Amino acid sequence: MDRSEFRQGVRDVVPLLLGIIPFGFIAGIATVNAGLGLPEAVGLSTIVFAGAAQLAALDLIGRDAPLAIIVVTALVINLRMLMYSASIAPHFQRLSSRTKAAVAYLLTDQAYALAIARYRTDDSARSVAYYFGVAATLWVVWQLTTIAGVVLGTSVPESLGLEFAVPLVFLALLVPAMEDGPTTIAGILGGTVAVVTAGLPLNLGLLVGASVGVLAGLLTETATEGSSNGD
């Protein structure tokens, strides 16, 4: 592995950790609020390793939602990973199946954004070491901050209440992501539907809202692209 490329990946991702660290703390606190302990928190962060999906799953777990609803909701929220994978896959075609599996497991919004930007602007920088430098750093920081969040959550008196933290994190993730027409429509419509359907049986509101948001975003993007091609 190209160590210089790995180190470059680590250096490039450091500024993004300022947003990842508090996010990881909140994920740990949310685990406590959902009634889970440290082993469950570590298992969830290790196996799922997807911030927004973890928070959504923890919210549903805390509400005693059926397992199927929890799993499907997390899958819908992570559908964007399919697009990320298809986009970055050509740069990793020559890797072994085992290495590709590791790349897929570590794929996140930040790892994709940094890696694809570097690979597109520098044809010589196709080393997977750069990707692992970014992605592995994110993984380690996420695990550590999640554990710290669990410890912090168990030490905070229940009278203070930290339930507000998860909705605030979702708002912090949503607003910057609404950067164009499709994402803005997806965010507004998905959020509105989730609120309106919050009282549905089996805690289906979040799943319905997420599904509607994803579908609305895709339809809007398709319509926009079709309009542009027609011009």
Side-chain angles (χ1 to χ4, degrees):
M1 181 176 290
D2 188 333
R3 293 184 179 180
S4 63
E5 282 292 306
F6 185 91
R7 289 193 293 268
Q8 184 61 51
V10 174
R11 287 192 293 267
D12 287 350
V13 79
V14 166
L16 300 183
L17 298 182
L18 294 176
I20 297 298
I21 290 173
F23 192 6
F25 274 115
I26 295 302
I29 293 172
T31 303
V32 176
N33 289 340
L36 304 179
L38 183 58
E40 292 87 354
V42 173
L44 188 63
S45 287
T46 302
I47 296 172
V48 179
F49 186 46
Q54 282 183 229
L55 289 179
L58 288 168
D59 179 62
L60 291 172
I61 290 171
R63 299 182 187 185
D64 294 324
L67 178 60
I69 300 300
I70 297 172
V71 172
V72 173
T73 300
L75 288 175
V76 170
I77 292 175
N78 277 341
L79 280 177
R80 67 191 188 282
M81 295 298 164
L82 288 174
M83 295 181 287
Y84 292 167
S85 298
S87 173
I88 204 170
H91 301 289
F92 298 141
Q93 286 181 341
R94 298 182 179 179
L95 299 179
S96 66
S97 298
R98 182 176 299 180
T99 304
K100 287 180 181 178
V103 168
Y105 167 69
L106 292 172
L107 184 63
T108 60
D109 298 288
Q110 299 83 0
Y112 169 79
L114 287 178
I116 201 67
R118 182 169 176 82
Y119 295 156
R120 285 176 176 173
T121 57
D122 186 356
D123 290 336
S124 64
R126 297 292 179 91
S127 172
V128 71
Y130 178 83
Y131 175 88
F132 280 134
V134 172
T137 301
L138 290 168
W139 186 90
V140 170
V141 171
W142 180 256
Q143 306 307 321
L144 293 177
T145 52
T146 299
I147 293 172
V150 173
V151 175
L152 174 63
T154 55
S155 64
V156 174
E158 292 186 6
S159 57
L160 292 181
L162 292 173
E163 290 81 4
F164 67 90
V166 173
L168 287 179
V169 168
F170 271 117
L171 283 175
L173 291 172
L174 175 63
V175 174
M178 296 166 63
E179 55 187 15
D180 54 25
T183 54
T184 299
I185 290 175
I188 294 176
L189 189 56
T192 301
V193 171
V195 172
V196 172
T197 59
L200 286 178
L202 303 177
N203 293 290
L204 284 168
L206 183 57
L207 174 58
V208 173
S211 301
V212 170
V214 170
L215 180 60
L218 289 174
L219 291 176
T220 304
E221 185 173 10
T222 301
T224 302
E225 291 178 351
S227 177
S228 299
N229 293 333
D231 294 339

